[in-house]
Amino acid sequence: MADGVTGVVTLQPEEGEKVRGVAAGLGGDNELDQITRPELMEARRTGDVGLVHSWELVTSVDGPGTRMTMFMSGCPLRCQYCHNPDTFEMKTGSLEEVEDVVKRVKRYKPIFDASGGGLTISGGEALFQTAFTRRVLKEVHDAGIHTTIDTSGFLGARVRDEDLDNIDLVLLDVKAGDEKTYKEVTRRELQPTIDFGDRLSAANKPVWIRFVVVPDLTDSPENVQNVANIVARWPNNVERVEVLPFHNMGADKWRELGYPYTLEDTKPPAAEDVEAIRDVFRAKGFTVY
């Protein structure tokens, strides 16, 4: 149910209990209005349904042209600077069927065609609900719409070779350049990101790298150089590197959810410091923003 303050929807039915579609933001007449927990688990396993956190329609963000971005719930990482901590758990959003999602995206195809845009799946983590994401990407791509995933790469091993055929662009977040710093930032391991990046490079799949500059966390010269060295492994397919300054606009969400926010006193980096970090990637021959 929604808490009435943040609009967070929690779906935690007991075995056999009905999951009311109206509580999941679907409306009382939706065919998912009377689905049991076992049915829901099976539908999620097959990818028939997914838990979608939210949607945005924006220009020149999350890929080229005008993008419809679908934010999925669920993420294996716990990044200290995450501005969507309400996507960590599979508790927030609305249950959506593949057919309805594809239909919604297709309605914007004239806009995508005119602007060179398309669908971006983000999160949370785009690959967390793998079966659902896989099916949406295939159907949307088959419809002639440009597709992008925004991912940490941590779950890249879940992506099959045939899945890559349905992904036109990967926004790959390289959050740190060594295992110690990566674990401090995310509580997870760096190597899966490198492995996925290597695989994308071997497939010559277009990639935009994203790196967030957080003062006293990711901005040390050693860490920046390590990230640049990792990205330099993929000179054939990295089209651009986006160096993004930290902001704490997600702090309120952390507090509302009762999560400890470790960056409360951290200020955004100075513009000149961000530009100096961009120069490190430029020195490797990359187009940098």
Short mmCIF file of all heavy atoms in Angstrom, two decimals, residues 52-56 68-72 101 119-123 132-133 136:
data_model
loop_
_atom_site.label_atom_id
_atom_site.label_comp_id
_atom_site.label_asym_id
_atom_site.label_seq_id
_atom_site.Cartn_x
_atom_site.Cartn_y
_atom_site.Cartn_z
N VAL A 52 7.70 -1.57 -12.44
CA VAL A 52 8.25 -0.34 -13.00
C VAL A 52 8.14 0.77 -11.97
O VAL A 52 7.05 1.05 -11.47
CB VAL A 52 7.51 0.05 -14.30
CG1 VAL A 52 8.04 1.37 -14.84
CG2 VAL A 52 7.66 -1.06 -15.34
N HIS A 53 9.25 1.40 -11.67
CA HIS A 53 9.26 2.46 -10.66
C HIS A 53 8.60 3.74 -11.18
O HIS A 53 7.73 4.32 -10.54
CB HIS A 53 10.70 2.75 -10.23
CG HIS A 53 10.83 3.91 -9.29
ND1 HIS A 53 11.05 5.20 -9.72
CD2 HIS A 53 10.78 3.96 -7.93
CE1 HIS A 53 11.12 6.00 -8.66
NE2 HIS A 53 10.97 5.29 -7.57
N SER A 54 9.02 4.20 -12.40
CA SER A 54 8.50 5.46 -12.92
C SER A 54 8.93 5.62 -14.37
O SER A 54 9.72 4.82 -14.91
CB SER A 54 9.00 6.65 -12.09
OG SER A 54 10.42 6.65 -12.01
N TRP A 55 8.43 6.69 -15.00
CA TRP A 55 8.72 7.01 -16.39
C TRP A 55 9.11 8.47 -16.52
O TRP A 55 8.64 9.31 -15.74
CB TRP A 55 7.48 6.79 -17.27
CG TRP A 55 6.97 5.39 -17.37
CD1 TRP A 55 6.16 4.74 -16.49
CD2 TRP A 55 7.20 4.47 -18.44
NE1 TRP A 55 5.87 3.47 -16.94
CE2 TRP A 55 6.50 3.29 -18.15
CE3 TRP A 55 7.93 4.55 -19.64
CZ2 TRP A 55 6.51 2.18 -18.99
CZ3 TRP A 55 7.95 3.45 -20.47
CH2 TRP A 55 7.25 2.28 -20.15
N GLU A 56 9.93 8.77 -17.54
CA GLU A 56 10.22 10.16 -17.89
C GLU A 56 10.30 10.26 -19.41
O GLU A 56 10.73 9.31 -20.08
CB GLU A 56 11.55 10.62 -17.29
CG GLU A 56 11.50 10.97 -15.82
CD GLU A 56 12.81 11.56 -15.32
OE1 GLU A 56 13.74 11.72 -16.14
OE2 GLU A 56 12.91 11.85 -14.11
N MET A 68 12.28 8.18 -23.99
CA MET A 68 11.36 7.73 -22.96
C MET A 68 12.18 6.82 -22.06
O MET A 68 12.70 5.79 -22.52
CB MET A 68 10.17 6.98 -23.55
CG MET A 68 9.29 6.34 -22.49
SD MET A 68 7.77 5.64 -23.20
CE MET A 68 6.73 7.10 -23.16
N THR A 69 12.34 7.20 -20.81
CA THR A 69 13.12 6.41 -19.87
C THR A 69 12.19 5.68 -18.91
O THR A 69 11.35 6.30 -18.26
CB THR A 69 14.10 7.29 -19.08
OG1 THR A 69 14.97 7.97 -19.99
CG2 THR A 69 14.95 6.44 -18.15
N MET A 70 12.35 4.37 -18.86
CA MET A 70 11.59 3.53 -17.94
C MET A 70 12.52 3.12 -16.81
O MET A 70 13.53 2.45 -17.03
CB MET A 70 11.05 2.30 -18.66
CG MET A 70 10.27 1.36 -17.77
SD MET A 70 9.46 0.00 -18.69
CE MET A 70 10.90 -0.94 -19.23
N PHE A 71 12.20 3.56 -15.60
CA PHE A 71 13.01 3.25 -14.43
C PHE A 71 12.45 1.99 -13.76
O PHE A 71 11.30 1.97 -13.33
CB PHE A 71 13.01 4.41 -13.44
CG PHE A 71 13.63 5.67 -13.98
CD1 PHE A 71 12.87 6.62 -14.64
CD2 PHE A 71 15.00 5.90 -13.83
CE1 PHE A 71 13.44 7.79 -15.14
CE2 PHE A 71 15.58 7.07 -14.34
CZ PHE A 71 14.80 8.00 -14.99
N MET A 72 13.28 0.96 -13.67
CA MET A 72 12.86 -0.29 -13.06
C MET A 72 13.19 -0.31 -11.57
O MET A 72 14.17 0.29 -11.13
CB MET A 72 13.58 -1.47 -13.74
CG MET A 72 13.33 -1.57 -15.25
SD MET A 72 11.59 -1.81 -15.66
CE MET A 72 11.28 -3.39 -14.86
N VAL A 101 3.57 -2.04 -21.85
CA VAL A 101 4.77 -1.19 -21.92
C VAL A 101 5.16 -0.95 -23.38
O VAL A 101 5.43 0.19 -23.78
CB VAL A 101 5.94 -1.85 -21.16
CG1 VAL A 101 7.26 -1.17 -21.50
CG2 VAL A 101 5.69 -1.79 -19.66
N LEU A 119 13.87 4.40 -26.55
CA LEU A 119 13.61 3.92 -25.19
C LEU A 119 14.92 3.69 -24.46
O LEU A 119 15.84 3.06 -24.98
CB LEU A 119 12.83 2.61 -25.23
CG LEU A 119 12.66 1.89 -23.87
CD1 LEU A 119 11.72 2.67 -22.96
CD2 LEU A 119 12.17 0.47 -24.07
N THR A 120 15.00 4.19 -23.22
CA THR A 120 16.09 3.86 -22.31
C THR A 120 15.50 3.15 -21.10
O THR A 120 14.53 3.62 -20.51
CB THR A 120 16.84 5.12 -21.85
OG1 THR A 120 17.43 5.76 -22.98
CG2 THR A 120 17.94 4.77 -20.85
N ILE A 121 16.09 2.02 -20.74
CA ILE A 121 15.69 1.31 -19.52
C ILE A 121 16.76 1.55 -18.47
O ILE A 121 17.94 1.27 -18.69
CB ILE A 121 15.48 -0.18 -19.78
CG1 ILE A 121 14.41 -0.40 -20.86
CG2 ILE A 121 15.06 -0.88 -18.48
CD1 ILE A 121 14.11 -1.86 -21.15
N SER A 122 16.33 2.11 -17.34
CA SER A 122 17.24 2.49 -16.27
C SER A 122 16.71 1.93 -14.96
O SER A 122 15.96 0.97 -14.94
CB SER A 122 17.38 4.02 -16.24
OG SER A 122 18.33 4.44 -15.30
N GLY A 123 17.09 2.55 -13.85
CA GLY A 123 16.61 2.04 -12.58
C GLY A 123 16.96 2.95 -11.42
O GLY A 123 17.09 4.16 -11.63
N PHE A 132 11.98 -9.54 -17.92
CA PHE A 132 11.08 -8.48 -18.36
C PHE A 132 11.82 -7.51 -19.28
O PHE A 132 11.34 -7.16 -20.38
CB PHE A 132 10.52 -7.74 -17.15
CG PHE A 132 9.55 -6.64 -17.47
CD1 PHE A 132 8.24 -6.93 -17.81
CD2 PHE A 132 9.94 -5.31 -17.42
CE1 PHE A 132 7.33 -5.91 -18.09
CE2 PHE A 132 9.05 -4.29 -17.71
CZ PHE A 132 7.74 -4.60 -18.04
N THR A 133 13.00 -7.07 -18.86
CA THR A 133 13.79 -6.14 -19.67
C THR A 133 14.12 -6.75 -21.02
O THR A 133 14.03 -6.08 -22.06
CB THR A 133 15.09 -5.78 -18.93
OG1 THR A 133 14.77 -5.07 -17.73
CG2 THR A 133 16.00 -4.92 -19.79
N VAL A 136 10.99 -6.63 -23.29
CA VAL A 136 10.66 -5.27 -23.72
C VAL A 136 11.65 -4.80 -24.79
O VAL A 136 11.27 -4.26 -25.83
CB VAL A 136 10.66 -4.31 -22.53
CG1 VAL A 136 10.56 -2.85 -23.00
CG2 VAL A 136 9.50 -4.62 -21.58
#
